[in-house]
Amino acid sequence: MRKIIVLLLLSFGLFTQAQEVKSLPQITVSGEGKIKVAPDYAIISFGVETQGKEASEVKKTNDATVDLVLRYLKKFGIAANDMQTRGVHLGRMYTGEKNKFHYQAIQNMQVTLRDLKQYDALVMGLVDQGINAISGVEFKATKLEEYKTQVRKLATQDALKRAQDYTSPLQQKVGKAHQISETGSILFPTVQRAEGFFAKEAHAMPQETLAIGEIEITAQVTISFVLE
């Protein structure tokens, strides 16, 4: 019986505390942090596609091309953990005519390029080895966690500044933060190349083929401050 009474008193005390905190005068504002940084590496997605009448021959040809690609990547200096097969497909492709079809083999891969200055040389070499599609280029930054910390601090500072802007004309001061919630995600732009990037088109490109630009990193936060 005593335990029940103690628990009831404790629960009542916590409830009362919560009510008191909730009844304090507060201001709730949102803040945003934003920085732009130059990317220092990229993830390139590409594929090898082969078609033919016999499934075994199509697979054999596709595998041979992929082998050449992997050998080239190693010779180029790409580390083993910076290349990865992302998908393998072998199946029938119907032509639309009755009972007529061919076989198609596809292997999709991703490569992490640590030196963006080597982009053109890498892509041209891959095309020479037999790849016939580049599906995307995604830019990344090595010091990503540091940048995330920076934008979160900027978002918090922005929220505090906004709270002070609102309370200053009212002759009130912003006190301690009562509640903090992150309301926005951190996004990264991606440059996409269309499917069907064939060798003859690649060699027709001008020497400068990559607009690196900047990565915009943002964070949004909502903070409730106690008013003094």
Side-chain angles (χ1 to χ4, degrees):
M1 187 67 178
R2 289 181 179 178
K3 289 183 179 180
I4 296 175
I5 294 173
V6 171
L7 287 173
L8 287 173
L9 289 173
L10 181 60
S11 300
F12 178 76
L14 292 173
F15 176 76
T16 305
Q17 268 188 336
Q19 289 293 98
E20 288 175 354
V21 172
K22 190 175 181 179
S23 64
L24 289 174
Q26 299 175 34
I27 180 172
T28 301
V29 292
S30 296
E32 181 180 56
K34 181 186 299 184
I35 60 173
K36 292 184 179 182
V37 299
D40 54 13
Y41 73 97
I43 297 176
I44 305 170
S45 302
F46 60 89
V48 176
E49 179 180 333
T50 308
Q51 297 183 7
K53 294 182 179 180
E54 299 293 333
S56 59
E57 191 62 30
V58 167
K59 183 180 185 304
K60 182 179 178 180
T61 301
N62 192 269
D63 288 345
T65 302
V66 171
D67 180 64
L68 290 175
V69 169
L70 292 175
R71 290 175 183 272
Y72 168 76
L73 291 173
K74 292 177 182 178
K75 187 177 180 180
F76 193 85
I78 303 297
N81 59 341
D82 281 338
M83 60 180 89
Q84 185 178 47
T85 298
R86 301 292 293 177
V88 178
H89 169 77
L90 176 63
R92 289 181 178 182
M93 298 292 294
Y94 287 89
T95 62
E97 300 181 36
K98 187 176 181 180
N99 297 325
K100 287 189 176 182
F101 58 86
H102 61 265
Y103 289 93
Q104 181 186 53
I106 301 174
Q107 291 199 48
N108 294 316
M109 299 183 66
Q110 279 189 348
V111 167
T112 299
L113 180 63
R114 302 290 175 181
D115 184 358
L116 295 178
K117 293 179 181 179
Q118 294 183 319
Y119 173 81
D120 285 317
L122 177 64
V123 169
M124 294 304 178
L126 288 172
V127 171
D128 288 339
Q129 301 308 313
I131 76 162
N132 42 29
I134 292 183
S135 56
V137 180
E138 184 178 4
F139 296 107
K140 298 284 189 177
T142 304
K143 297 181 179 179
L144 181 58
E145 292 305 317
E146 293 182 21
Y147 298 140
K148 287 181 179 180
T149 298
Q150 289 181 33
V151 294
R152 286 170 183 146
K153 289 180 179 179
L154 290 173
T156 302
Q157 292 168 1
D158 183 47
L160 177 59
K161 177 65 169 56
R162 293 189 187 199
Q164 291 170 339
D165 288 343
Y166 283 117
T167 58
S168 179
L170 303 174
Q171 304 300 313
Q172 288 183 285
K173 292 183 179 181
V174 178
K176 293 182 178 181
H178 169 56
Q179 188 173 13
I180 303 173
S181 60
E182 190 174 48
T183 55
S185 58
I186 300 172
L187 306 176
F188 309 93
T190 302
V191 174
Q192 292 287 345
R193 292 187 181 278
E195 295 283 354
F197 179 88
F198 295 100
K200 63 179 182 180
E201 297 171 330
H203 287 294
M205 293 190 306
Q207 188 172 3
E208 294 295 331
T209 61
L210 193 65
I212 296 174
E214 293 181 320
I215 299 174
E216 184 176 276
I217 305 172
T218 63
Q220 292 84 35
V221 66
T222 299
I223 304 179
S224 294
F225 295 97
V226 176
L227 294 177
E228 295 179 351

